[in-house]
Amino acid sequence: MPDTAVLHNIFKLYFLIGLIANDLLFAVHFRRIRQARTIDARKTGLDIPLWVLALLGTQAIPVVYVLTSWLDFADYHLPTWFGLFGAGLLAVALWLYWRSHAVLGRNWSPSLQIREGHSLVTRGVYRYVRHPIYAADWLWGIAQALLLQNWIAGLSCLASFLPIYLYRVPREEQMMLEHFGEEYREYMKRTGRLIPRFWR
């Protein structure tokens, strides 16, 4: 079994590879939707500051931690199995991002928008949860805390994602209710927001 320092570096490298894969996935889907015409956009003055905060916690701070020693003073050390569990969670989060984007296709948007030809997607992973991309974000945040064992870099995703989640999800669901009405209301009854509703 490698020593703690080696394992720590392996977990950092694994996280960095996962982050690059996730960013490439985002870029591919963002490029695909650029030409779709927007018919309803719900932007406010808080959108950009909240996205900047989320990017700091999910991208900038972790990369600084992985590539430099600046934040090493805040390291903590967990048993090896925590890091291995984190590696598994990161893989599940990546899979969930991929499947969510694949099913949404041109219906996906990085901000609150309804696009021309927008349809209510209830198949694939959306058959079980209404917000699988947000579920993936939470899984990613937990994985980050287990892989990057540092009080600043490890917890930065969870801390920075919480405000945008709390602000955005109610507005997103209200927008969907306004556009899809009873169809979305019925969809809400049979699905969980983040966790599948197996007891329906």
Side-chain angles (χ1 to χ4, degrees):
M1 176 71 73
D3 66 30
T4 303
V6 172
L7 275 173
H8 205 58
N9 287 329
I10 289 171
F11 291 151
K12 285 182 178 181
L13 179 61
Y14 180 86
F15 176 84
L16 187 61
I17 292 169
L19 188 61
I20 292 168
N22 185 49
D23 288 349
L24 289 172
L25 181 68
F26 180 87
V28 166
H29 289 285
F30 186 77
R31 185 176 178 185
R32 186 168 67 177
I33 57 107
R34 278 189 310 176
Q35 296 175 345
R37 190 169 75 88
T38 300
I39 59 174
D40 186 4
R42 307 283 175 101
K43 294 182 180 178
T44 71
L46 278 178
D47 288 337
I48 291 177
L50 287 174
W51 272 117
V52 169
L53 178 65
L55 286 173
L56 282 173
T58 59
Q59 303 274 324
I61 293 172
V63 168
V64 166
Y65 176 65
V66 169
L67 299 181
T68 74
S69 60
W70 297 348
L71 301 176
D72 287 358
F73 67 90
D75 279 357
Y76 54 82
H77 298 286
L78 298 171
T80 301
W81 72 266
F82 279 90
L84 296 173
F85 183 65
L89 281 183
L90 197 78
V92 171
L94 275 172
W95 177 84
L96 198 49
Y97 282 131
W98 168 58
R99 291 312 309 150
S100 301
H101 283 293
V103 173
L104 274 183
R106 291 181 180 272
N107 292 305
W108 174 75
S109 172
S111 59
L112 293 187
Q113 296 178 345
I114 296 289
R115 298 179 176 276
E116 193 171 48
H118 202 113
S119 60
L120 178 59
V121 176
T122 60
R123 64 187 186 282
V125 291
Y126 285 87
R127 180 179 176 188
Y128 305 102
V129 290
R130 298 192 300 280
H131 301 287
I133 293 176
Y134 294 139
D137 288 329
W138 286 118
L139 290 174
W140 185 280
I142 296 168
Q144 184 169 315
L146 297 176
L147 289 168
L148 305 185
Q149 296 175 16
N150 180 276
W151 289 109
I152 299 170
L155 301 178
S156 64
C157 176
L158 292 173
S160 65
F161 179 66
L162 180 61
I164 198 169
Y165 174 80
L166 294 176
Y167 178 69
R168 180 168 165 162
V169 170
R171 294 169 58 233
E172 184 170 332
E173 295 213 316
Q174 182 58 40
M175 182 177 72
M176 298 298 279
L177 281 167
E178 289 175 15
H179 279 272
F180 296 107
E182 192 59 31
E183 184 183 7
Y184 192 76
R185 195 167 280 106
E186 288 300 316
Y187 176 59
M188 292 176 77
K189 289 178 183 176
R190 64 179 188 267
T191 56
R193 182 176 277 179
L194 297 173
I195 300 170
R197 191 174 291 172
F198 292 115
W199 57 88
R200 61 186 168 86

